[in-house]
Amino acid sequence: MERMAHIAQVIAPEALLETAVRVYDEGRHPLTAMFGRDETAQGTGYAIYCYFEIPEKKDMQVVKAVFDPNGSLSYQSITHAIPAAAWYEREIHDMFGLVPEGHPDLRPLVLHESFPEGFYPLRKSVKVNAKVRGERKFKVRSAKGQGLFEVPVGPIHAGIIEPGHFRFSQAGEAMLQLDAKLFFTHRGIEKAVEGKMPEEALHIVERICGACSVSNTWSFCQAVEKVAGVSVPRRAEIIRTLLSELERIVNHVGDLGNMPAGVGFNPAISLGARLKERLMRLCEAVAGNRFLRGVIVPGGVRQDITPELIEEIHSVIDATAEGVEDLATMFREQENFQNRVQTTGIIRHQTAVDLAMVGVGARASGYAHDSRSDFAFGVYPELDFQPYTKTMGDVAARLLVRIGELSASFEMVDKLLDMLRNCHGMPLHADMAYGAGEAWGICESPRGSNFHYVALDEEGRIDRLFVRSASYPNWPALTIAVQGDIIPDFPLINKSFELCYACIDR
Amino acid sequence: MFKVLERIFRDKIATEQVSLSGSQRFRGKLSGSVEESLLPKCQGACPVGAFQAEGSQYKIDYRKCIFCGKCVEACAVAALEEGREKDGLLHHSTEDAMPYLIEAGQEALADVLKEKLGRSLHVRHLDAGSCNACDFEMGALGNPYYDLHRYGVAFVASPRHADMLMVTGVVTRNLEQALKMSYEAMPEPRLVMACGACAAGGETYGDTYAIVGAADKVVPVDVYVPGCPPRPSAMIVGLLAVADMLKEKMK
């Protein structure tokens, strides 16, 4: 791998809005990530990085605004021009205290009521284990009017799901407005890894999220490998790509079994759960862990796929493909199921563009973004991959996109297994030697693109890690998708996006 | 409708007996010997402080262990450098590590499977800051392979209906109050299970501004189930042990 230059266009905070709007080019170059960094030790001050995807170059363009720590920490919010920036700006405000003037909703995002005002944990002056207590206000939004009422749900839910608080404003059965208070599982992971070598941080990165273990690890490793200028041996790249597809298959099959739970369609739930369990056991056989943890490491992989495992993967995937076909038939032929999923929870194409949505959520609304084709990583360029899209943007479309992607993944797994058969005994790992530098990594998790930014210091210790998982840009879309639908459809719409909480909360 | 029924009948019964052994590569309980000179290397490699050298022996705190295999790797590397025999070195066995249940005097599996009727356990799950892996495995308990209902264990919607709180994840600052309130809402006698390395040991991510710690820093914990995440079968064994503890408490 070439040592990729990481060139940011450095500007003053006053120029951020204008520059960002110019690069954004009316949505042609979506805002992939936006985050802060404390560079006072390097003499730069506080910085805001904006990553825009440039699809025609299969690359990113970086705009970096630098703040003098002794000067004004305010800048003009870019959210009005680039709606996707709304959450990023709130997060930067929480973590660094940089104030976006004119932001439409500058409530806290990450830090809830038990943290005092003016506590900015990602500033270097704050210790990692600072146990600061205080109080801050968080007002949940609701619609007011005659006959309207509120339904508060969570953070502890009735089912086995992750914590989040939802406030529905109802006009009878219809959901007028939904406000979601998230980030309950915020563990301070980005701060926890600071000062650690990439290998020391690996077990933490692997545990950002269970469903996206492979994706988070792979993006992180890509970034540190770019900084080190190390290229990963071919067999390791194939194994990584295979693991990533296995993770997608497990999650998509799990979702196919979970979505019918939103309407009480039990035979499909049961069949989906059965298929998923078989796959989880396959993952354990491959990695020694049911979430494929412990294989991907900086420089390559730690375990090989033996000839016996190749055959086992092959036979389980074949059986899964048959089961998925059966599930798809069940869905197609069950009219009352179709009645529930069609025209429910619609995301229009323009909404997907405005929010820079990713993954299944974007592709079901005709927004053909998939990092497997948008960027070159792993062995995807050899697999002739095309994104699978639908245009309706409803629950049914998201279901069909998953089914379509599964067939593509089954085919890719077959090709990958063939590649592995042809390169037995090849090296799995390259030696890593770190130095100062910064880089990004991206891969396609089951939920969509997963972006990591890593900056290392001279000793190779992590100075800044930023994680933008696929669920981050898609969460705000959920609150739009539900508007006008009836509240009994919420679980179904929610499951059709199947967003992680752990990934975004970090 | 008939097609759906036909499809259901085509599958045979998948439900299995609970087994605590995994596949060949499964990283379970640690076993094997470590030369005294290699102990510091293994201990140094452990990212969560679970591997503890005690004189010439080692002890694993399975509440904290995330089964990452770093101690095994460090042991192998150090042994190679010193030109030692590879046989019998530290390694992960394929068995789930369940010592904290056995410590509590719960020979759960055998007894409980014999008399599986006549008691019930209602469980409220509480994610106190997990990565969702434990939660997914908990969801898997309902699948046809594990079929948790056959043991009389059911997940309920509210802590007010629950005998036991099943806590996953390291307790975060943002969820501390929710955990306390859920515990207080439960009727007596109440039990708490810390499920997985985060809730049981609390060391997975280290100590940060956003983390309170293991579940027992906030509420009293009765049973610890190790694993990262614990496999569904390990969770079942934990739940059955709790069902028996509850019977004792009710006496």
Side-chain angles (χ1 to χ4, degrees):
Chain A
M1 187 196 302
E2 283 174 58
R3 189 166 182 141
M4 281 200 215
H6 183 278
I7 303 162
Q9 181 186 356
V10 181
I11 53 166
E14 302 80 57
L16 179 60
L17 176 64
E18 192 205 330
T19 316
V21 167
R22 196 173 56 242
V23 179
Y24 182 58
D25 198 10
E26 292 175 349
R28 274 180 281 278
H29 301 153
L31 180 67
T32 300
M34 181 174 174
F35 53 91
R37 187 179 164 199
D38 181 345
E39 299 177 2
T40 44
Q42 288 89 331
T44 331
Y46 298 116
I48 290 181
Y49 288 74
C50 299
Y51 273 74
F52 294 93
E53 184 188 335
I54 313 295
E56 61 271 23
K57 291 185 186 159
K58 296 202 170 204
D59 201 0
M60 299 272 192
Q61 188 169 336
V62 193
V63 174
K64 175 178 172 184
V66 178
F67 295 76
D68 177 354
N70 302 316
S72 162
L73 295 182
S74 299
Y75 64 102
Q76 236 192 321
S77 164
I78 65 169
T79 296
H80 289 286
I82 307 173
W87 267 26
Y88 296 120
E89 290 193 328
R90 282 171 73 184
E91 183 174 329
I92 295 167
H93 180 238
D94 273 8
M95 306 313 259
F96 294 93
L98 304 176
V99 185
E101 298 287 352
H103 191 288
D105 173 18
L106 202 56
R107 292 176 297 166
L109 183 73
V110 183
L111 305 176
H112 291 183
E113 289 90 339
S114 81
F115 293 96
E117 302 271 1
F119 173 64
Y120 305 117
L122 285 186
R123 288 192 181 173
K124 295 285 180 191
S125 55
V126 175
K127 282 209 179 86
V128 58
N129 59 353
K131 303 288 184 197
V132 186
R133 284 190 185 264
E135 227 172 285
R136 66 171 67 193
K137 292 223 159 33
F138 187 100
K139 198 167 175 342
V140 183
R141 292 219 163 141
S142 57
K144 301 273 183 263
Q146 204 178 7
L148 300 186
F149 60 94
E150 293 174 34
V151 180
V153 181
I156 310 302
H157 296 279
I160 303 175
I161 49 170
E162 296 178 74
H165 177 79
F166 300 114
R167 186 72 57 92
F168 298 93
S169 297
Q170 294 291 127
E173 276 206 308
M175 296 178 270
L176 272 191
Q177 184 189 307
L178 165 61
D179 191 22
K181 180 185 179 188
L182 300 168
F183 293 86
F184 279 93
T185 69
H186 177 63
R187 291 147 283 168
I189 286 178
E190 289 175 0
K191 186 88 175 177
V193 299
E194 284 181 8
K196 287 186 158 57
M197 295 298 288
E199 280 80 5
E200 292 167 350
L202 194 67
H203 76 279
I204 296 179
V205 171
E206 241 177 0
R207 284 161 182 79
I208 291 171
C209 172
C212 316
S213 297
V214 169
S215 316
N216 277 315
T217 316
W218 196 6
S219 296
F220 174 76
C221 287
Q222 275 184 34
V224 296
E225 283 151 8
K226 276 188 206 168
V227 175
V230 165
S231 39
V232 176
R234 180 172 165 77
R235 189 167 174 87
E237 286 282 30
I238 301 171
I239 291 176
R240 286 177 174 192
T241 314
L242 177 69
L243 293 180
S244 167
E245 288 308 313
L246 279 180
E247 185 172 80
R248 185 175 342 278
I249 292 170
V250 172
N251 277 285
H252 277 13
V253 167
D255 293 346
L256 293 189
N258 213 8
M259 281 164 75
V263 299
F265 185 14
N266 284 333
I269 302 173
S270 177
L271 178 54
R274 196 186 262 252
L275 292 172
K276 186 183 178 192
E277 177 64 23
R278 190 67 201 85
L279 287 163
M280 295 294 283
R281 292 180 180 193
L282 176 70
C283 292
E284 185 189 296
V286 169
N289 175 287
R290 287 165 51 104
F291 290 82
L292 295 168
R293 286 173 175 163
V295 183
I296 298 179
V297 292
V301 293
R302 210 170 65 163
Q303 297 184 72
D304 200 5
I305 308 268
T306 59
E308 298 78 45
L309 278 175
I310 290 179
E311 298 319 313
E312 190 175 343
I313 295 170
H314 185 83
S315 74
V316 174
I317 293 300
D318 270 2
T320 307
E322 266 175 46
V324 167
E325 187 55 50
D326 288 341
L327 260 179
T329 314
M330 266 192 202
F331 292 144
R332 204 168 43 236
E333 292 178 351
Q334 204 67 24
E335 240 174 79
N336 39 9
F337 178 75
Q338 288 298 327
N339 277 338
R340 290 291 300 275
V341 296
Q342 281 177 18
T343 69
T344 304
I346 292 179
I347 288 290
R348 291 179 309 132
H349 178 262
Q350 189 57 45
T351 309
V353 175
D354 286 344
L355 296 178
M357 281 177 71
V358 296
V360 173
R363 296 191 285 272
S365 299
Y367 189 40
H369 268 258
D370 191 316
S371 35
R372 291 175 286 175
S373 55
D374 296 342
F375 298 96
F377 64 96
V379 290
Y380 285 113
E382 297 169 45
L383 293 174
D384 192 25
F385 172 79
Q386 290 298 322
Y388 186 90
T389 57
K390 288 277 166 195
T391 52
M392 275 298 290
D394 54 3
V395 172
R398 288 186 282 275
L399 184 70
L400 289 173
V401 166
R402 286 199 175 86
I403 294 172
E405 292 192 2
L406 275 170
S407 335
S409 289
F410 295 144
E411 271 177 41
M412 278 193 273
V413 166
D414 268 350
K415 286 185 195 167
L416 290 163
L417 291 178
D418 271 340
M419 288 179 177
L420 283 177
R421 286 187 186 102
N422 292 330
C423 65
H424 275 301
M426 304 237 294
L428 296 172
H429 191 264
D431 285 336
M432 300 293 290
Y434 299 109
E438 51 184 338
W440 53 274
I442 203 162
C443 73
E444 187 75 9
S445 79
R447 277 88 163 115
S449 71
N450 179 304
F451 171 92
H452 280 227
Y453 164 88
V454 179
L456 302 182
D457 65 14
E458 287 77 18
E459 294 170 21
R461 297 186 179 278
I462 296 171
D463 186 63
R464 175 81 169 111
L465 166 69
F466 174 75
V467 179
R468 201 239 54 203
S469 72
S471 298
Y472 198 98
N474 286 8
W475 260 110
L478 174 69
T479 61
I480 293 171
V482 301
Q483 287 169 8
D485 278 309
I486 57 172
I487 197 165
D489 275 340
F490 177 72
L492 179 64
I493 299 171
N494 193 13
K495 285 182 206 315
S496 77
F497 284 96
E498 185 57 19
L499 301 169
C500 302
Y501 299 64
C503 262
I504 62 158
D505 298 355
R506 290 156 283 150
Chain B
M1 184 67 194
F2 286 111
K3 279 186 185 161
V4 171
L5 283 175
E6 192 198 317
R7 180 64 191 79
I8 294 172
F9 284 120
R10 207 168 354 123
D11 284 323
K12 297 193 180 63
I13 293 171
T15 312
E16 292 174 345
Q17 296 288 357
V18 170
S19 153
L20 288 181
S21 36
S23 52
Q24 213 184 339
R25 281 187 176 182
F26 175 59
R27 289 188 295 279
K29 198 173 163 179
L30 284 152
S31 83
S33 63
V34 184
E35 291 271 347
E36 198 174 338
S37 60
L38 305 183
L39 283 172
K41 292 215 164 138
C42 298
Q43 188 170 335
C46 180
V48 293
F51 190 101
Q52 292 151 8
E54 283 186 346
S56 63
Q57 300 291 313
Y58 67 88
K59 205 182 123 200
I60 310 289
D61 186 345
Y62 283 111
R63 279 178 293 196
K64 294 178 181 166
C65 181
I66 56 170
F67 301 86
C68 62
K70 285 197 174 157
C71 55
V72 173
E73 212 170 61
C75 183
V77 169
L80 195 71
E81 279 170 3
E82 296 187 12
R84 289 175 200 271
E85 285 287 316
K86 273 180 87 179
D87 291 342
L89 279 182
L90 186 70
H91 62 277
H92 282 286
S93 73
T94 60
E95 299 290 311
D96 282 299
M98 304 295 289
Y100 296 96
L101 297 170
I102 293 158
E103 261 174 31
Q106 305 300 321
E107 291 288 335
L109 198 62
D111 293 346
V112 168
L113 286 179
K114 272 184 223 149
E115 49 135 1
K116 59 183 173 187
L117 297 170
R119 54 154 174 66
S120 76
L121 178 72
H122 283 190
V123 183
R124 176 64 239 145
H125 163 233
L126 194 143
D127 176 342
S130 88
C131 74
N132 76 30
C134 288
D135 313 358
F136 271 109
E137 293 296 59
M138 213 176 279
L141 293 174
N143 78 29
Y145 284 86
Y146 301 107
D147 186 24
L148 188 65
H149 285 96
R150 66 182 147 149
Y151 301 112
V153 182
F155 283 95
V156 291
S158 162
R160 294 189 196 284
H161 307 156
D163 305 307
M164 191 194 84
L165 206 56
M166 193 165 176
V167 183
T168 59
V170 60
V171 183
T172 63
R173 282 280 293 276
N174 288 349
L175 280 162
E176 189 183 3
Q177 191 196 6
L179 174 56
K180 278 185 189 155
M181 286 172 72
S182 299
Y183 180 74
E184 280 158 16
M186 292 167 73
E188 299 268 7
R190 53 194 168 191
L191 291 156
V192 177
M193 175 195 283
C195 182
C198 293
E203 294 292 331
T204 315
Y205 306 98
D207 190 18
T208 78
Y209 63 90
I211 287 176
V212 178
D216 57 15
K217 281 203 169 170
V218 183
V219 291
V221 172
D222 299 281
V223 169
Y224 300 89
V225 177
C228 188
R231 300 188 316 146
S233 41
M235 287 185 186
I236 291 179
V237 172
L239 286 165
L240 296 180
V242 172
D244 286 355
M245 287 170 85
L246 185 67
K247 219 159 82 179
E248 287 300 309
K249 279 205 178 186
M250 299 280 275
K251 272 182 188 163

